[in-house]
Amino acid sequence: MSDRPVRTRIAPSPTGMMHIGTARTALFNWLYARHTGGQFLLRIEDTDRERSTEAAVQVIIDGLRWMGLEADEPPVFQFARADRHRAVVDEMLARGSAYRDYMTPEELEAERELARAEGRVVRSPWRDLSPNDAPDRPFVVRLKAPQDGETLVDDKVKGLIRFENRTLDDLILLRTDGTPTYNLAVVVDDHDMEITHVIRGDDHLNNAARQTLIYQGLGWEVPAWAHLPMINGPDGKKLSKRHGAQAVTEFDDMGYLPETLRNYLAKLGWGHGDDEIFSDAEAISWFDIKDVVSAPARLDWDKLNHLNNHYIRLADPARLAELVVGILESREVRVREADHALIAHTIPFVREGAKTTLELADAVLFVLKDRPLELPEKTRAQLADAEMAARFKRLRAALGAVGAWDVPSLETALRAFAESEGVGLGKFGPQLRAVLSGGSPAPDLAGAMTALGREESLGRIDDALSLPA
Ligand code: GLU
C-alpha cells in the first residue's frame, strides 16, 4: 500500500433523504480521515437527473452539516464530469484495455441465451475483432477484463475476497448514447479525487471487484477497500419506516442531538471495548477500520435514548433553549423574545430525565404560562377546603421570608415548614406543585420555584389563594 496521505469520501446519490446508514458511512470516513490526519471529501453522485434535484442535493449537504461531518473540500458533482469519464475511456481504448462492442440488441439477446445455456457470462465477439472491421452503427464500450485467474478484493472489514474472473463479464463503460456507467464514473472520480480508502456500505462489495478491474485496466493504484455492514432494525431486519425512523432528519425531528448520533452510530459496527459514551476526540483517537466488525448492527432505541439523555444533560442550556423554542413554535406555542432566556434558565432544573429535546420542550412549558394559571379541577377543590387554604397562607408567608431564592434554601424552607405544620411534604407538596405549574409536568418543588423565580412563584401562589371560594 502506498503512503499517500489518507483521503476518504462519502459518495451519496441524492434521493431526497439521507439514510441513517449513509450518516454512519460518513461518520466512519470522517473518523478515519481525522484519525490519520487526512481529509474527508464529499461527492454527489447525481447522474440520475430526475432524482438529483437541487433540493435533494441540499438534503445531503444539510444532513452532513447537522451531523457535524462537513467535508474538507467543496463537493464534487459526478454528472458534471462526464467529459472526463469519456476521455478516460478513450485512454483505455488506446491502451487496449477497452473495446467497442457493436453487437446489435438481437445479437446480444442471442448471446445472452447461449451464455445462460452454457453456464458462462456474456462475451462479445468484438472483444477479439479488429476495430478496422467496425460497422457504422451504435456501440457500447466495454472493459476488456481478464478471463482467467482471480480478482482479489482485500477488504479491511470483510477480509480477502476472491472473485473468479471467468464469472465477471466485460462490463460496459460507455452506453450507446455515450453516457458513462456507474462503475466507471466511481473509479475515475475516486482516482481524480485521490481517494486512498473507499469506506462504504457492503452492498457495494461486488462493485469492488468490477472497479478493481477498471483500475487495473487503467494502470491506476487500487484504493484500500472497507465495506461496512448494514444497520438493521431492532428485530434484525433491514431498517425501514416501520422501525420508527430511518432518515437523519427524522432523528432530528424526534429530538436527538447530533453528538448523540455520532456517539451512537460509532458504536454501530465499531467500538472501543465496552465504552458506551465517548467524545468525538476519543473516537478520533481510537478509530481504526480494522476494528470494524462485519456482522450487521442493530438499532437499539433504549441505548440511543440513554445516550441522548447523557448529551442533553451535558449540553449548553442556551443551545438547548433554541432547539426547544423551535419545537414549541412548531407546535404553535407562542414564544416571546424574553422566553428564550427563561427557557435557558429553566433547562438545568428539568433536563435530568429528558430523553429527547421533545421531552425537554414539554418540561419547560410550565414556566411559560401566564398568570393567573388555570388550575386543575382537583386542585381548586382542595384549595377550597378551609384548613388547606389556611395552610397555604402560612406556606406563602414562610416562602416569602426565604432569603436566597435557590434550590438548597427552598428545600430547607419547605422541610422546615412541613415540620412546623407537623405534617409530611405529601400533605401540601402535590397541591403546591399544581399551583406552580397549572398541572403541567414540573421538576421537584425547589427546582420549579427556582426556575420560576421569587416573584413569579409567590405570584402564582397568591393567585391560588385569591381564588373565589
Ligand atoms: N452512490 C453510492 C450510493 O449512494 C455510493 C457509491 C460508493 O460509495 O462508491 O450507494
Side-chain angles (χ1 to χ4, degrees), residues 9-13 43 45 182 186 190 198-200 203-204 211:
R9 76 346 182 236
I10 176 92
S13 312
R43 178 170 71 242
E45 303 214 314
Y182 168 71
V186 168
D190 282 338
V198 170
I199 305 169
R200 61 186 174 192
D203 47 336
H204 287 285
Q211 291 169 8

Side-chain angles (χ1 to χ4, degrees), residues 2 8-9 16 20 33 50 83 85 105-106 108 112 114 118 128 145 157 173 180 216 229 257 295 297 319 361 462:
S2 76
T8 66
R9 76 346 182 236
I20 198 72
E50 256 166 49
D83 284 343
H85 301 147
E106 297 73 35
L108 178 59
R112 265 207 194 109
L114 193 61
E118 293 178 359
D128 303 311
V157 178
L173 304 173
Q216 289 167 349
L257 297 176
R319 171 186 165 217
D462 287 339

Side-chain angles (χ1 to χ4, degrees), residues 73-212:
E73 292 177 9
V76 169
F77 289 87
Q78 187 160 69
F79 179 72
R81 294 178 36 82
D83 284 343
R84 165 69 179 151
H85 301 147
R86 279 187 283 270
V88 166
V89 171
D90 285 341
E91 235 176 86
M92 294 175 82
L93 286 166
R95 291 170 63 98
S97 58
Y99 61 94
R100 295 192 176 89
D101 173 12
Y102 294 91
M103 272 197 287
T104 62
E106 297 73 35
E107 286 169 346
L108 178 59
E109 196 38 49
E111 163 60 10
R112 265 207 194 109
E113 263 173 43
L114 193 61
R116 201 174 305 132
E118 293 178 359
R120 57 170 178 83
V121 296
V122 167
R123 296 288 178 207
S124 165
W126 289 96
R127 191 184 150 97
D128 303 311
L129 288 175
S130 160
N132 298 334
D133 301 329
D136 183 18
R137 64 174 187 234
F139 59 86
V140 297
V141 179
R142 286 184 188 269
L143 177 73
K144 194 168 192 174
Q147 294 185 334
D148 310 316
E150 306 179 307
T151 296
L152 301 182
V153 172
D154 191 4
D155 191 88
K156 299 223 176 282
V157 178
K158 306 277 171 179
L160 185 65
I161 304 180
R162 297 163 184 277
F163 294 83
E164 282 191 62
N165 288 336
R166 62 178 180 76
T167 66
L168 302 171
D169 60 1
D170 286 345
L171 79 141
I172 296 178
L173 304 173
L174 290 185
R175 303 184 185 90
T176 47
D177 64 0
T179 54
T181 56
Y182 168 71
N183 280 304
L184 171 76
V186 168
V187 167
V188 176
D189 292 349
D190 282 338
H191 169 79
D192 289 359
M193 291 167 76
E194 299 178 31
I195 300 303
T196 56
H197 294 72
V198 170
I199 305 169
R200 61 186 174 192
D202 63 8
D203 47 336
H204 287 285
L205 193 55
N206 285 329
N207 285 332
R210 299 177 161 282
Q211 291 169 8
T212 297

Side-chain angles (χ1 to χ4, degrees), residues 300-319:
D300 180 332
W301 289 102
D302 288 340
K303 283 192 179 159
L304 184 62
N305 286 334
H306 176 73
L307 268 184
N308 207 40
N309 171 256
H310 170 81
Y311 285 107
I312 285 176
R313 284 189 282 120
L314 228 58
D316 170 28
R319 171 186 165 217

Side-chain angles (χ1 to χ4, degrees), residues 31 111 178 215 310 323 338 377:
L31 283 173
E111 163 60 10
Y215 278 102
H310 170 81
L323 296 174
E377 199 41 54

